Amino acid sequence: MSADASSIILHQYDISPFSEKVRVVFGIKGLDWFACDEPVIMPKPELVALTGGYRKIPVMQIGADIYCDTQIIIRELERRFPKPSIFTGGDKGLGWGMGLWTDRSFFMAAVAVIFGNAPDAMGEDFKADRTKLMGRPFDTEAMKAGAPLMAEQLRANFGWLEEQLADGRKFLMGEAPGIADANAYYNLAFIRWIVPAAMKSAEAMPHLAAWEKRVTAIGHGNRQEISRDAALDIAKSATSIEVVKADPGEPNGLKPGDKVTVMADDYGRDPIAGELVSSSAQHIALKRSDPRVGDVVVHFPRAGFLVMRS
């Protein structure tokens, strides 16, 4: 099967923890998708041509619509492919809020434990790149010193999952996997890929250990590969399906046609400028143009991102 404007293209790399979150959702929904492998560190010229400056991984592309951040990627997958739903136990709202826990405090504990125990796992170029991304030193010596303390934090996060699973349920919200499982699982996968010995505390929790194996067994759907140039060619030949729509509830009166800039509020705060196409409490879409891909619409979530008039 060859990719076209209707295909799901995930700009990712295999050891990207946040890409793993999306890949688990692909598995839950049994989706066909194309992996477009991007560099782990900058420069990422093809990705930047699509996004206008957003450099974090993953990014999902469907035709000329570009989705940045796992929150908006998963929201769009649920909208386009609602069956089976990722909301399996009354978690339609709180499932999103859980993502801020797993993407921030849980993830940062995992990062500290990983690089505190394996400070040279990714090399000096990676450290320099992540220093620029984070806006502060990626100090593996400090992580090494703090690793014992962060191991305690990590075990506490594992313990919450163990308690949730303690009644014998198969997945975090019940008998079927969903967004809660994808949100939590990728942190365990990330640790296991690089420092499997750091998973001892999780392996000592019987419900959590069994759950991890069940989520792993879900797989990643049907993956195929696509080159970066081929993905950009699809974007250039496609037209966005996003409909121009004003949101009367916009707190600061933003409306279609306004020039705005969007950036993450935590790290990787590269500003992306464009013309507002549509917005809501959970979503904002900007139209922008690049010589390599033509006109595209770039989508972001609202939680975790800042929107400013240009």
Side-chain angles (χ1 to χ4, degrees), residues 14-189:
D14 284 348
I15 61 168
S16 158
F18 292 102
S19 296
E20 180 68 5
K21 183 201 298 190
V22 177
R23 293 188 295 248
V24 170
V25 174
F26 290 155
I28 291 170
K29 291 184 173 291
L31 295 175
D32 297 329
W33 62 285
F34 289 82
C36 184
D37 284 340
E38 297 284 351
V40 175
I41 64 175
M42 292 291 272
K44 303 179 184 183
E46 295 89 357
L47 186 70
V48 169
L50 282 173
T51 66
Y54 183 86
R55 55 151 295 182
K56 294 196 282 187
I57 291 295
V59 168
M60 184 175 75
Q61 172 191 349
I62 303 180
D65 285 288
I66 315 301
Y67 301 89
C68 300
D69 188 87
T70 58
Q71 185 186 156
I72 201 68
I73 290 171
I74 295 171
R75 186 176 291 276
E76 185 64 13
L77 290 172
E78 180 72 3
R79 188 186 73 81
R80 291 184 186 234
F81 309 100
K83 302 295 183 182
S85 176
I86 54 170
F87 304 114
T88 61
D91 55 342
K92 192 168 185 178
L94 291 180
W96 301 115
M98 178 188 173
L100 291 182
W101 157 49
T102 56
D103 288 1
R104 299 196 179 197
S105 61
F106 194 175
F107 175 67
M108 295 312 296
V111 167
V113 167
I114 289 169
F115 293 102
N117 283 281
D120 299 319
M122 301 300 287
E124 294 302 318
D125 288 345
F126 176 86
K127 295 176 189 178
D129 179 81
R130 290 314 191 258
T131 292
K132 188 174 292 186
L133 175 69
M134 303 294 288
R136 61 180 183 273
F138 191 83
D139 189 345
T140 53
E141 287 304 309
M143 293 181 194
K144 184 176 180 179
L149 298 177
M150 295 310 294
E152 298 172 3
Q153 297 298 311
L154 190 62
R155 188 176 72 149
N157 283 275
F158 290 155
W160 289 340
L161 300 175
E162 176 73 3
E163 289 174 12
Q164 180 71 6
L165 294 160
D167 63 0
R169 63 185 63 196
K170 292 182 179 178
F171 297 99
L172 289 173
M173 296 304 296
E175 293 303 298
I179 188 171
D181 304 282
N183 278 336
Y185 171 80
Y186 80 87
N187 281 306
L188 282 73

